[in-house]
Amino acid sequence: MRYTIGWFMFAGLLLTGCGGDVRANVTVPEVGTASPGDACYQVYIRAAKSVEDRASKYIGRTTWSPDQRDAVVAASSEAIRIVSGVRNAQFGRTWDKPFGIRENTRGWRTLGRALTWRAEVAIKNEDYADARFCLSVALNIAGALSGSDSHDAAMGLEIVDECLSAIWPALPRFPAGTLQMVSSDTRQALEGGPLASAVITQERDLMLAQIGWVRDRYQERDFDGMQSTLGESVAPTVKYLRELVESPAAEQQAYFNGFAEEIEADIALFKQRLATTPAQWQDEEKRGTRAWMRFTKAFGTPWRVYVKRRAEVRTRLRLLAIDAALLGQFKAAGSVPRDLGGFPASLRTDPYSSRNLVYVFRGVDYKLYSVGPNGIDEGGDKGDITVDR
């Protein structure tokens, strides 16, 4: 009888989680069914594959000689041609597994580099129309990628910013008509593109898939695999999960409920920041220590990086649009305006101050800049975002 009672007591300890592995059926929110994207998205996929096939000798490099750059530009010419006429692409999901390789990333990234290198050659050859064409295609690509998740959207920002940096120093040499087209292209890009809801939906699906991935590794007790994939930064959280398996099922489920709730709070903050300017952003709420905080910090880092970079690049694009218009006006009429009142408020407002961009009239010359992320007017130096020439 003592043996029988002892066995039942041991079994009870297992079931209540005291000293044993409690196999709880932990649930997490389901990831939404992804849209496959539209026909324009398929054009982007074909363009990526074209670049990967034709530039396969160079696509994995991190540095390129001038001859190799020329080869990449030549290999990308067809892809540039086919995406140049695409507008309003609706992207599907670009990942199969939450921490897996994205098939088309290298092709799109190489396509962006090819546009920058082609623009540099065009400027050297004084083919300013082609330089403007390269920037307009880069703007289209950035707009299309902004309908994917923050990983792809951030890549689009880098593509357009690199092309912009290649062109801006040479802008005073552009003909008046081309300058006006650069200004128009840039303004259209700032006003157009997919709705912010597209990147929000894609980012939420990715983060929910990441929770699901953690849950699956947890259910399989694959803590070493979890650690190997996510890195040392989450080591304390992985250690916590190793110990959580001995807790009652309700406590295990509560952990994943709290994890999922914080992801939803992150997405709500992402949405709020996309809908406002940096001058309107509030400091993030101090949530204190949470058992899942290292996971949520890692999973939320990409969108936080993206919204900051997005604000910077879009500010540079506002400056470019105004700068190109002012240069075009000077070339056509021999003068520039005394203030920015002729531009719409949506273009001349500094996202970092909610006031006008700083414009200093100097007769036939001018100074134009944003106060930048610190919100302090430093005369166009230090932390300010200035005209890139």
Side-chain angles (χ1 to χ4, degrees):
M1 177 62 72
R2 287 181 181 176
Y3 175 82
T4 304
I5 291 173
W7 170 252
F8 278 114
M9 288 180 66
F10 177 69
L13 289 174
L14 285 178
L15 291 172
T16 56
C18 299
D21 188 332
V22 180
R23 289 282 171 171
N25 182 27
V26 175
T27 61
V28 295
E30 293 292 327
V31 179
T33 302
S35 165
D38 63 3
C40 294
Y41 174 51
Q42 297 305 315
V43 172
Y44 269 88
I45 291 175
R46 290 198 300 273
K49 294 186 183 305
S50 171
V51 172
E52 289 176 13
D53 289 344
R54 299 184 184 198
S56 58
K57 287 175 59 178
Y58 312 105
I59 203 166
R61 298 182 63 88
T62 55
T63 60
W64 298 265
S65 69
D67 287 346
Q68 289 167 341
R69 290 187 176 197
D70 290 343
V72 172
V73 170
S76 304
S77 61
E78 176 62 14
I80 291 172
R81 186 191 66 78
I82 64 175
V83 301
S84 65
V86 174
R87 298 290 186 279
N88 303 318
Q90 295 178 17
F91 268 46
R93 186 178 293 163
T94 62
W95 49 271
D96 293 322
K97 298 177 182 179
F99 301 104
I101 295 173
R102 299 183 183 225
E103 268 189 47
N104 302 301
T105 295
R106 293 200 311 169
W108 291 328
R109 194 67 188 87
T110 303
L111 181 59
R113 291 191 176 103
L115 284 165
T116 294
W117 297 336
R118 175 171 162 175
E120 290 172 346
V121 171
I123 289 168
K124 183 178 179 181
N125 295 333
E126 299 184 356
D127 188 352
Y128 302 117
D130 194 57
R132 171 254 169 179
F133 169 78
C134 291
L135 178 60
S136 70
V137 176
L139 288 166
N140 287 341
I141 293 173
L145 289 170
S146 71
S148 184
D149 57 52
S150 64
H151 172 277
D152 293 331
M155 176 173 60
L157 292 176
E158 295 310 313
I159 287 172
V160 75
D161 202 38
E162 287 174 1
C163 197
L164 183 158
S165 294
I167 287 173
W168 214 339
L171 215 58
R173 305 205 302 270
F174 282 41
T178 307
L179 286 166
Q180 293 299 339
M181 286 190 285
V182 168
S183 181
S184 177
D185 293 341
T186 307
R187 291 172 66 168
Q188 287 179 25
L190 286 166
E191 296 166 1
L195 297 175
S197 57
V199 68
I200 293 166
T201 297
Q202 293 256 22
E203 193 70 11
R204 182 176 183 272
D205 283 353
L206 175 58
M207 294 178 80
L208 290 181
Q210 290 169 333
I211 293 180
W213 182 91
V214 171
R215 186 276 310 272
D216 292 346
R217 302 290 82 71
Y218 176 79
Q219 296 288 61
E220 296 163 6
R221 305 304 190 244
D222 182 15
F223 299 109
D224 289 340
M226 191 184 298
Q227 180 75 68
S228 175
T229 300
L230 299 180
E232 283 301 314
S233 65
V234 300
T237 307
V238 174
K239 180 177 181 292
Y240 182 92
L241 288 179
R242 287 182 187 271
E243 298 168 353
L244 185 64
V245 300
E246 299 183 359
S247 300
E251 290 185 20
Q252 297 180 47
Q253 182 62 62
Y255 173 92
F256 282 92
N257 287 347
F259 189 178
E261 287 169 5
E262 187 155 328
I263 292 297
E264 294 295 350
D266 252 29
I267 292 298
L269 182 59
F270 182 31
K271 181 177 181 179
Q272 186 269 336
R273 294 205 166 175
L274 285 175
T276 55
T277 62
Q280 299 168 309
W281 294 352
Q282 302 294 320
D283 290 339
E284 290 196 42
E285 178 185 354
K286 302 300 182 184
R287 299 174 186 167
T289 301
R290 290 92 60 213
W292 50 81
M293 64 183 294
R294 289 177 182 263
F295 284 150
T296 53
K297 182 178 180 180
F299 300 165
T301 293
W303 76 254
R304 285 173 169 81
V305 171
Y306 166 64
V307 291
K308 289 181 180 179
R309 190 73 178 109
R310 177 178 182 267
E312 292 170 3
V313 173
R314 288 177 68 83
T315 299
R316 278 167 56 79
L317 289 174
R318 290 188 188 202
L319 291 168
L320 174 71
I322 293 173
D323 189 33
L326 291 173
L327 286 171
Q329 180 176 332
F330 179 77
K331 290 202 169 192
S335 63
V336 293
R338 293 183 173 275
D339 57 46
L340 300 180
F343 295 96
S346 59
L347 186 64
R348 68 173 187 264
T349 301
D350 187 342
Y352 293 101
S353 69
S354 296
R355 299 186 296 273
N356 278 350
L357 293 161
V358 180
Y359 176 72
V360 182
F361 174 70
R362 296 171 170 173
V364 296
D365 193 13
Y366 55 87
K367 193 172 188 178
L368 176 67
Y369 61 92
S370 157
V371 298
N374 65 11
I376 301 171
D377 186 344
E378 296 173 297
D381 298 321
K382 298 181 181 178
D384 295 338
I385 301 174
T386 63
V387 169
D388 195 9
R389 55 180 174 80

